[in-house]
Structure formats: structure tokens, C-alpha cells
Amino acid sequence: MEGNKPTTVMCTVLAIDHSNLSYRACSLCERTLPDTPNSICRFCNSFNPSSSSSSSSSKRLFRLLVSIATDTKVLNVICFDRAARILFGCSADEFFDFAKIHPFAAANAGLILEGEMFKMTLSKPKNGNAQHLRAVSVLPLRTGFQPAIVSLRELYGVRASS
């Protein structure tokens, strides 16, 4: 990739690191919170209870490490929340709750997405310490593509909540 100009590639998902798909974020400023319950954001000082019953509670956002293959190379890219929602078809909170009930859901989501082809726009990270390209946008190339949560609900016999 030349300079900071985003590049669009056609690629295939080879694997997704399913060990840590999301992180807790402040409900106000969306900065990363520690995984401890009832955190105070060190950036905006807001209180973030971990309970989802409060409107000011913390939320989960996706951060996926995805290995992709283009026509010329294999890359590891990070898909943050907006791009990852295309792959998963739900919010990180919804997936986290689903995975609590179905412990192998994250691993199965990786298997479901393996081999899928996408058009991805990649950009270099703004943070100089970051090591992976960012997937800025993700567009499925297969007409019948279903997000991971749809296939997982079918696999586990779970109806979609309305």
C-alpha cells in the first residue's frame, strides 16, 4: 500500500482469531475499558456498569483479527465494529450474549466465514504503534452470503429475536 491511501482488494477469509473478538467500550466516548465490571472511563470519567440493563452501561465492540488472502499475498487485518458487523450480522453485545449460551459459537463463526470472498478496503492504521492494516469496509461477493449469526442460529436451532 502506498502512503496512507486506502486500497481495495478482492480477498478470501482464511481464518479469524476467535480467542478475543470484542472489547468493552465506554458508552459515552467509546474508548476501551478494562474487562472489570463497573469501570470508570479514564478519558471522560463516566461510570460504566457492565450490566446491559442501564442505558449508560458499557457496550462491547468488535475487534477481529482476520487472516485474508488476496491474489498476491496473505495479510492479517483488523476489522473493527462497523466492518465486523457485516461479517457477523449483529452487534458485539448480541454475539457475546449468544456465545455465553453457546461456548463454541466464536470458533464456529470463524469456520462459517472461512473461505468467504469479500471486497475489502484496507487502510494503514493511524496509530504508529499498530501493526495490522484496518478493514475500513467489507462487501460480501457471494450472492447468497449470510452473516455468521444467521448460520449459527440455524446450527444451534435458535430463532432470531424480533
Side-chain angles (χ1 to χ4, degrees):
M1 285 181 51
E2 57 185 68
N4 285 338
K5 187 178 167 196
T7 303
T8 300
V9 298
M10 305 296 185
C11 63
T12 302
V13 171
L14 298 178
I16 294 177
D17 179 357
H18 58 82
S19 62
N20 192 9
L21 300 175
S22 64
Y23 63 98
R24 282 187 59 231
C26 174
S27 58
L28 233 51
C29 70
E30 292 194 348
R31 298 279 185 105
T32 305
L33 291 172
D35 265 337
T36 55
N38 304 328
S39 304
I40 294 183
C41 178
R42 62 187 174 117
F43 297 98
C44 70
N45 291 320
S46 67
F47 178 66
N48 284 272
S50 54
S51 165
S52 59
S53 60
S54 167
S55 62
S56 66
S57 65
S58 65
K59 58 184 172 182
R60 289 203 164 268
L61 297 175
F62 281 114
R63 179 176 44 213
L64 308 176
L65 179 59
V66 182
S67 179
I68 62 169
T70 69
D71 59 340
T72 58
K73 58 188 157 200
V74 173
L75 301 165
N76 289 322
V77 299
I78 298 285
C79 291
F80 282 103
D81 200 63
R82 192 177 65 202
R85 282 175 179 248
I86 302 299
L87 301 174
F88 277 73
C90 63
S91 71
D93 276 321
E94 186 179 346
F95 187 79
F96 184 78
D97 291 341
F98 187 90
K100 279 194 289 189
I101 299 166
H102 308 285
F104 296 105
N108 285 328
L111 293 172
I112 288 165
L113 292 168
E114 202 173 286
E116 286 288 351
M117 295 186 70
F118 296 93
K119 181 177 176 182
M120 286 190 185
T121 301
L122 307 175
S123 70
K124 288 190 175 176
K126 292 180 178 89
N127 177 347
N129 297 330
Q131 56 188 7
H132 299 295
L133 294 171
R134 306 295 192 249
V136 182
S137 72
V138 176
L139 180 67
L141 292 177
R142 187 166 59 87
T143 306
F145 171 76
Q146 291 187 71
I149 195 68
V150 173
S151 299
L152 287 168
R153 286 184 183 128
E154 289 173 7
L155 178 67
Y156 293 110
V158 177
R159 290 179 144 200
S161 55
S162 22

